[in-house]
Amino acid sequence: MPLSRRTFLGGGLAAAAVAVTGTPLLSGCASDKKNQAAANLAVKLPTYQRYTGVKPDLPGTDLVLDGFLKYPANPIRAITEKPGDGQPITFMTNIPGAIPPAADKNAFWQALNERLGSELQISMASNDEYSNKFATRVAGGDLPDVINIPPSTVQIPGLLKAKCLDLTEHLSGDAVKKYPFLANIPTEYWKGCVYNGGIYAVPVPRGMSRTSLPLYRSDLLAAKGIDNPAPKNFEEFLALCQELTAAKQNRWAWTRVPLAYIRQMLGLPNGYAEDGGKFTAMVEHEANTDALEAARKMFAAGVVNPDTFSAAGSARKQWFNGGTAVFDLDSFVAWNQYYADSTAGDSFGVNMLDVPGFSGGEGKPWMGAALNNITAFNKSSKHSAETLLKVANWMAAPFGTEEYLFRKYGVAGRHYELKGTDPVPTKVGVVETGIGLQYISDSALSLYWAGKPAVPQNQHKIQQKIAPRLVFDASYGLYSDTLSKDGARINGVLTDLENQIMQGKKPVSAWAPAVKTWLSAGGDKIKAELGQAFSDAAGR
């Protein structure tokens, strides 16, 4: 039963799962939900045991990431045995870049298989296409051994229970120490892996590394004599964007309208806010009208690429890398990815803008999503849970180890050249290594770019600056059945309206009645369910 992205996000996956498993993804019984919430709270999360084998040049905190000015000399090979069992292991994932050469034409992939001791067979799709592919595979009952599950997946609990291994006995408490690099993932990230009264997945951690602010082409700004852009309010920010736009020369300030950034200027909540156990959604905040009016003003001023509303995310990234746009609203992960994808040579430079208050002072940056995805293991896999966890542990070996060096950079002489102790990727390396291993498991990001110590220094500097002002999403780790089933659909209506308003096709005054409809269509129920989950957690 093929599914479109719209039917998948709108609940089609739930119907598909009934066809595949014979049961709904999640029972609608209130007592079942309450019992499940209690069972989830009883789960003992994996013990955090920080890896101390590598010392950072720029030490982090519980929020700021560790930074390294160069790759450590003589990196430690931390895992001596091959994690695989000799049999092929299948995996499906999204990838952020172009589809790389197949395994038979990819020296990195071949070397990986040798190191793992099992052939890793990967089914890939671009970021833009992965939701469709994932939905179709679920609907067809055709799931691999290792499954990259997006956090937005409809009714995750039922999917995990029906199709995936319960990993609790292998990971709960001190049991995780058998897999030391999974134990090196902080406890906070494991909260998003607990469903059905057990630990059903391995986290792919992000957090601060996914915090998104305006990335800018520092080389293009420097060419205009701007070395340290620091607008003090929205009007100065808009004036800077106008200065950087030259439509006749096919250059615009922005890849897209930075509505989320404007909302941070205005101090709006990050997703959901909690006060006294009651939840409110960001979309309810009265300052949304100011944010939408400012966003509409930006688009009308012509500082955004006019094709933005019809372009895919991959096209916007190409605009930024190619110099068609100067700004892109994205994360520290994207910051590094832009360097990986750049073909502009040594002149290419990226930096990040802080967020000012809309009318002055300081804005409130939103902390990035805790997880990129969770990775579950197929209940029908012929591999043992221990084998698949060993592979995930190998993928999570942190910066400074020999395993990390290979996983991220490949084989010396083909995929990278050493400059001092730094692995500098070759063009072949960029192409062949992009096979999505980071979505099986990963360590927390370290701030580093080979041969360019200014990159981690700039990243560490902006993280230190924004850390005290970060706003967190209060809904993280709390499950709402309505949000899972209907959130994408009802949120999609508001997103469509935002796009219409920003293009001037609908008035800003259309927002308030749309939010009332959103509340009655499920928003009020979502808030109530989050409040109940919060109350249950508080009473643990």
Side-chain angles (χ1 to χ4, degrees):
M1 169 177 157
L3 294 177
S4 70
R5 183 175 186 274
R6 182 170 295 276
T7 57
F8 165 56
L9 294 177
L13 181 58
V18 173
V20 172
T21 67
T23 57
L25 281 177
L26 187 67
S27 168
C29 176
S31 61
D32 285 349
K33 292 175 189 174
K34 188 170 183 179
N35 292 339
Q36 186 177 101
N40 288 346
L41 292 170
V43 173
K44 187 173 184 180
L45 295 171
T47 302
Y48 175 47
Q49 184 168 280
R50 182 180 174 89
Y51 178 70
T52 59
V54 181
K55 303 297 182 185
D57 300 308
L58 304 169
T61 66
D62 57 341
L63 294 177
V64 177
L65 299 171
D66 289 340
F68 294 83
L69 302 182
K70 59 184 179 180
Y71 206 89
N74 306 312
I76 301 167
R77 188 153 192 172
I79 300 173
T80 54
E81 66 177 74
K82 295 181 178 181
D85 58 9
Q87 300 303 309
I89 296 172
T90 55
F91 172 51
M92 67 177 293
T93 187
N94 60 298
I95 57 170
I99 301 294
D104 61 345
K105 298 178 181 178
N106 189 324
F108 171 72
W109 201 333
Q110 293 165 17
L112 170 73
N113 291 339
E114 171 61 28
R115 282 174 173 249
L116 291 180
S118 282
E119 178 188 354
L120 187 62
Q121 299 175 350
I122 309 175
S123 175
M124 306 174 200
S126 69
N127 287 349
D128 294 330
E129 297 171 343
Y130 186 65
S131 290
N132 282 341
K133 183 167 185 172
F134 180 69
T136 301
R137 294 283 292 269
V138 172
D142 178 27
L143 292 174
D145 298 311
V146 180
I147 314 163
N148 167 348
I149 301 179
S152 59
T153 298
V154 177
Q155 293 183 289
I156 288 179
L159 175 62
L160 291 171
K161 188 162 189 173
K163 308 301 291 183
C164 301
L165 289 172
D166 181 347
L167 302 171
T168 310
E169 66 175 296
H170 303 283
L171 297 173
S172 181
D174 287 347
V176 75
K177 292 181 180 179
K178 181 177 178 180
Y179 311 99
F181 297 128
L182 296 182
N184 184 50
I185 299 174
T187 303
E188 184 72 13
Y189 296 113
W190 290 95
K191 291 180 181 178
C193 299
V194 176
Y195 295 94
N196 309 307
I199 302 170
Y200 272 79
V202 171
V204 175
R206 289 298 181 261
M208 177 63 105
S209 64
R210 285 290 291 271
T211 295
S212 294
L213 288 169
L215 295 175
Y216 63 86
R217 286 285 302 272
S218 55
D219 54 321
L220 299 181
L221 266 69
K224 294 185 70 69
I226 304 171
D227 292 323
N228 184 30
K232 297 177 181 177
N233 52 48
F234 174 75
E235 290 302 327
E236 287 192 11
F237 166 69
L238 178 56
L240 174 64
C241 296
Q242 290 171 319
E243 181 181 356
L244 295 170
T245 297
K248 290 182 179 179
Q249 282 77 51
N250 198 38
R251 178 174 293 169
W252 289 267
W254 276 90
T255 60
R256 54 178 164 161
V257 184
L259 178 57
Y261 182 59
I262 298 170
R263 283 171 163 155
Q264 292 172 57
M265 289 184 182
L266 287 159
L268 271 67
N270 179 2
Y272 287 86
E274 176 272 324
D275 185 14
K278 293 188 179 296
F279 281 71
T280 55
M282 179 277 292
V283 297
E284 295 180 86
H285 200 289
E286 61 183 11
N288 272 294
T289 55
D290 293 330
L292 288 164
E293 175 56 34
R296 185 205 61 76
K297 186 176 180 180
M298 282 191 70
F299 191 70
V303 300
V304 180
N305 190 308
D307 295 329
T308 186
F309 291 101
S310 60
S314 55
R316 291 195 294 266
K317 290 182 181 297
Q318 289 169 7
W319 296 342
F320 184 84
N321 253 335
T324 300
V326 180
F327 283 106
D328 185 36
L329 188 66
D330 218 322
S331 67
F332 291 89
V333 174
W335 188 333
N336 279 13
Q337 188 63 43
Y338 274 132
Y339 274 99
D341 294 340
S342 171
T343 57
D346 290 340
S347 64
F348 183 85
V350 178
N351 211 328
M352 183 178 274
L353 208 60
D354 196 355
V355 52
F358 189 81
S359 300
E362 294 182 322
K364 295 183 177 180
W366 294 345
M367 179 64 161
L371 303 177
N372 181 82
N373 63 284
I374 60 173
T375 299
F377 304 142
N378 193 333
K379 190 183 290 186
S380 300
S381 174
K382 295 179 181 178
H383 302 277
S384 68
E386 290 86 352
T387 293
L388 299 178
L389 284 167
K390 284 179 182 179
V391 170
N393 180 70
W394 189 89
M395 298 290 175
F399 185 95
T401 62
E402 196 275 341
E403 289 79 5
Y404 183 101
L405 178 64
F406 170 77
R407 197 172 76 244
K408 300 293 185 179
Y409 296 96
V411 178
R414 177 176 176 85
H415 301 112
Y416 68 87
E417 301 289 347
L418 277 178
K419 291 189 177 179
T421 61
D422 285 318
V424 177
T426 63
K427 290 182 180 179
V428 171
V430 170
V431 171
E432 290 191 349
T433 59
I435 61 176
L437 301 183
Q438 69 270 34
Y439 303 135
I440 294 179
S441 184
D442 209 353
S443 57
L445 182 75
S446 291
L447 305 177
Y448 168 78
W449 193 255
K452 291 185 180 290
V455 172
Q457 287 173 329
N458 287 335
Q459 292 175 334
H460 199 259
K461 182 178 179 180
I462 188 70
Q463 288 193 2
Q464 287 180 313
K465 196 173 181 183
I466 66 175
R469 294 181 279 129
L470 285 168
V471 178
F472 292 75
D473 185 348
S475 71
Y476 172 63
L478 303 175
Y479 182 75
S480 160
D481 189 31
T482 304
L483 179 60
S484 180
K485 286 192 297 187
D486 296 331
R489 177 178 58 82
I490 64 174
N491 291 340
V493 173
L494 291 183
T495 299
D496 289 343
L497 178 58
E498 287 171 352
N499 291 339
Q500 295 288 310
I501 291 172
M502 288 188 288
Q503 295 174 81
K505 296 178 180 180
K506 290 283 182 70
V508 174
S509 60
W511 182 256
V515 171
K516 287 184 179 179
T517 301
W518 178 87
L519 290 167
S520 62
D524 279 331
K525 197 172 181 182
I526 290 170
K527 294 192 297 176
E529 289 171 358
L530 291 174
Q532 184 61 55
F534 179 83
S535 176
D536 291 342
R540 180 175 178 175

